[in-house]
Amino acid sequence: MRKARAEVIICLAVMLACCACALALDPSLDISQYAHTAWKVRDGFAKGFLYSIAQTPDGYIWLGTEFGLLRFDGVRAVPWEPPSGQELPGKDIGTLLVTRDGALWIGTYNGLASWKEGKFTTYSELNGSRISGLLEDGEGTVWVGTREPRIFGENVGAIDADAEGNFWVGFDKDSRKWKSGRPQSFEVSDPQHAQQALPEHEDFAFVNDSHKGGRGLIPRQVQRGASVRSSQRFRPSQMLRDRDGAVWVATSDRGLIHFHQGKTDNFSEADGLSGDTVNRLLQDQEGDVWVVTTNGIDRFREYAVPNIGIKQGLSNTNTLSVLASSDGRVWIGTHSGLNKWKNGQISVVLRGDGTTHSVFQDSSGRIWVSTLAAYGYLDSDRFVPVLDLGGGWAVSVAELPTGHLWVANDSKGLFHLVGDRVVQKLSWAALGHTDHARVLLADRSQRGLWLGFNQGGVSYFADGRIRKSYSAADGLGRGRVNQLRFGPNGGLWAATETGLSRIKDGRIATLTSKNGLPCESVHWNMEDNDRSLWLYMACGLVRIRRPELDAWIADRSRSVQTTLFDISDGVPSHSYPSEVHGVTKSSDGRIWFAAYDGVSVIDPHHLAENKLPPPVRIEQVITDEKPYDARNGMRLPARIRYLTIEYTALSLVIPEKVRFRYKLEGVDADWREVVNDREVQYSNLGPGAYQFRVNACNNSGVWNEEGASLGFVIPPMWYQTNWFRALCAALFVALVWAAYQMRVRQLAYQFNVGLEERVSERTRIARDLHDTLLQSFQAVLPLFQAVIYKLPEGAVDARKTLEVAVDRASDAITEGRDAVQALRVSAVEQNDLAQAIQTLGEALASAETNQSSPRFDVVVEGTSRNLHPILRDEVYRVTAEALRNAFRHAAAQTLEVEIRYDEKYFRLRVRDDGKGIDSDVLSQDGREGHYGLRGMKERAALVSGKLTIWSEADGGTEIELIIPGSRAYTKPTRRFWYFRKRSATESDVNETIERQ
């Protein structure tokens, strides 16, 4: 035997329905007065017969069927299967048990299994055995009964337990109470349907059924004097005593029998039960009673506003008027007569006189009744006619003053009765109206009447005429006036088609949907003993608590918080109110009102409120149509297109009114609220860790704020990983760098092309000078020399003049050759700019006649790099111009040239500590007629450099030339396919060859 806090003992069967919740049904009500919902096999709820039912602590309802196990949340019935690789011993689930530790025990026709906290266990000792019953005793031991004659020598059926711990065991032919010693036997009526254990047997008695020749079971209270029809004899299959003491009996052929507060009622398939063969009963955590029949399941719950109908003795459900009299009775006028309710019993007072239209009690306690034919009063429940209406309806009655009745007839006008006599009659036209008054109300001053009219408007009638009138133009609600009532503070409340109006001291305020009402049309209003205001409206019954109402009276722009009771709470909705006197309050504080399907009763101190916050569960996750069981930390597939999360709340009272708030963190900016929508879908979620949260609220507005949460991870595809992103980022950076380099080299190429064009132009000029001008001068010299030789010896002056001209021409030719050579050859023969500048500076220093020539230095920072030849010449010439100016004009003690080779820039500075340059000279780029400074700036611009000069009087001068390294330096590069032209290095080589 397996032991895990539960001991398996074969051949006993027990089913214990246990729940410690305090919720229950009102025991004063019949079954037909409860809200009933049926889920039928024929409608597709399940397959096959249903046998058993249980509820686990998480709120789920579990159903055993002939095709397996169902899990039901009040909305969806889902077939349940054990974890992968395991299976139930059999598909026929005959009995279920939930133990106090939360385990679900599953008895099949082929063995036993249990399910607890995700662990599924089967019991090999019982393989092949048909499990007929399960029970947990007070010590936590689980007893298992099988259909095998082992201990008792007979097949064991179902067994239950009573409050004293006795086991009630069902056998083939009888039912026995067993604890120790010899079992006490009780004979059963139908051996074919035995196997039932009935711990309530001692409260019932067996009687003969002479009509069927058999034996049946009726309650002992019937034998003690309660009336019972022969149809109440039944064959029980299970009994359930609910938490308020009422007994529910499941029968095999009569449906449900209900014993409560000395009364008995029946509910069968003819009344809407899913089937007459009832197998099991269960009261859930919220107090609802569940019934399992072979054809489906049924739920019975309490309405917030129960109804009294024909089954409770009402003559007709089409009610027109209701009146609570001072003696505690409630009078109900219907289309088939007048009914009287007293202490839960209804009797019909007037039946043959037809429709009872209105009921009124005067100050003497007399009951006045209006029928189709006459208006009169009751004398010992006998109708005494007083006024022959002769057509039309007596729609309203008021007493003013004492003993004087005013009756409003919809067609003939206003009648004034004193005792049994009509003393005055006024037509509606005489009162200035084409329509009739629907409502009469005596003023508190006992001096006049208030009239509410069918087409709208409220008037005050006194001394035979209308004294005041109020209409929609004065702020009164538009349309028909359905009711008038004085509030405790003297305000007159008028229920109209477009809101609830309050008239006091000639001022009117109207409460409408703009102030928080769920709809506009108000049929009546009534204040309960707690001073809360109840409104019957076109959309249902509305409660406004007194603080909310007082706040609105003080501030008419304020909205009120309301509670709405609709059809799910037992309140039908109608656009048109009852004709007259549709509401009353009895002496016990209950509010009765005509509802067209009977009379509805509000007990403000006993409203069926569900105070249990609903357990919330996240059931499964579906990704691209593939389901997964929901568990925290689950890892889903990558690249999900559609993600569906199914969740639920285990509030079974009115599951269709359950509200949810959910949020997927990182996706939803705020909570989303839905009603009875139990799944949410997301699309195209990216990779990452997600947290889904959901809260729920039951039908009474109680929230489970903790709710449920689910953490899950969507892994990335290879192209969504960080390393791939890093690779893409690196590739992007590389592409940007390559593009940058390409652009730099393109600019360098364009710059080199410009330099090459300048070199070519200089070479062309040199060639042209050599081939034209110099050659022409060279050709002229021999002619001048020939002229000199031909001159006579006496022409000394002419000879000298010509010789001077020849010498000057020769000098000009020499200078021209030097200029041509300068155009063809770089100013710096070797690519050593520092050495060239050092040589130039020393030459300029030695040429100075002043004995105090400045100390001259050249400083090089960084590794010397090759410069473009043309650019190098321009830098050299700028430096030479700066040095000449410094040596000649600065009168400096120190002169320094700083050359800096940086990666990004080439920088050259010439600084001295001389007398500086006048600011006017600097601002005008030199003196007029002098072009040294301007030429330096022009040369700097030609090589894309920036020339800056700082100087101040007696503070020296500093000249700085900065050239971008990409322009200044030469470096070997490969040819780019994009350009297909020479690189800078090739240009230098070709230039050198050309110069040579």
Side-chain angles (χ1 to χ4, degrees), residues 53-67:
I53 186 171
Q55 185 180 29
T56 45
D58 58 11
Y60 281 110
I61 293 290
W62 299 81
L63 300 169
T65 77
E66 67 172 307
F67 286 99

Side-chain angles (χ1 to χ4, degrees), residues 451-593:
L451 293 79
F453 287 91
N454 190 57
Q455 294 181 8
V458 172
S459 297
Y460 178 68
F461 172 82
D463 301 328
R465 62 190 182 92
I466 300 295
R467 298 290 180 176
K468 297 178 184 178
S469 290
Y470 301 97
S471 65
D474 303 307
L476 189 74
R478 296 186 308 276
R480 182 179 60 249
V481 177
N482 297 317
Q483 184 215 24
L484 294 174
R485 183 186 67 84
F486 278 108
N489 298 322
L492 178 64
W493 295 90
T496 75
E497 285 187 290
T498 55
L500 181 66
S501 297
R502 182 176 185 266
I503 306 173
K504 187 175 183 182
D505 300 330
R507 291 179 295 180
I508 302 177
T510 301
L511 184 65
T512 67
S513 59
K514 294 179 180 179
N515 303 106
L517 294 183
C519 54
E520 292 285 348
S521 183
V522 181
H523 301 336
W524 53 255
N525 74 100
M526 180 64 72
E527 190 174 274
D528 64 22
N529 290 345
D530 295 327
R531 300 192 64 196
S532 291
L533 188 66
W534 294 81
L535 309 178
Y536 189 35
M537 307 186 69
C539 52
L541 187 66
V542 175
R543 179 179 64 187
I544 306 174
R545 297 200 180 270
R546 193 68 207 185
E548 290 288 324
L549 190 63
D550 289 342
W552 173 79
I553 292 174
D555 180 6
R556 310 296 171 81
S557 63
R558 180 186 174 93
S559 293
V560 295
Q561 297 294 322
T562 64
T563 302
L564 175 66
F565 300 87
D566 57 18
I567 189 64
S568 65
D569 301 296
V571 182
S573 298
H574 298 288
S575 61
Y576 198 84
S578 62
E579 290 291 336
V580 290
H581 298 292
V583 62
T584 189
K585 185 168 69 172
S586 56
S587 57
D588 59 4
R590 293 192 293 175
I591 299 173
W592 300 63
F593 65 95

Side-chain angles (χ1 to χ4, degrees), residues 162-182:
D162 60 24
E164 298 176 355
N166 300 309
F167 289 170
W168 289 76
V169 185
F171 295 97
D172 285 340
K173 296 182 179 180
D174 59 9
S175 176
R176 305 171 194 172
K177 183 172 70 173
W178 177 83
K179 187 173 185 180
S180 61
R182 183 178 180 81

Side-chain angles (χ1 to χ4, degrees), residues 350 352-358 369-376 383-394 409 412 415:
L350 299 178
D353 292 324
T355 300
T356 302
H357 199 254
S358 65
V369 180
S370 169
T371 69
L372 284 174
Y375 188 76
F383 180 68
V384 178
V386 172
L387 176 64
D388 183 4
L389 296 177
W393 298 89
N409 182 277
K412 294 188 176 182
F415 292 85

Side-chain angles (χ1 to χ4, degrees), residues 688-707:
Y690 293 89
Q691 190 78 13
F692 178 76
R693 301 182 186 278
V694 58
N695 301 331
C697 167
N698 67 15
N699 60 294
S700 296
V702 179
W703 281 93
N704 181 342
E705 297 292 350
E706 181 180 356

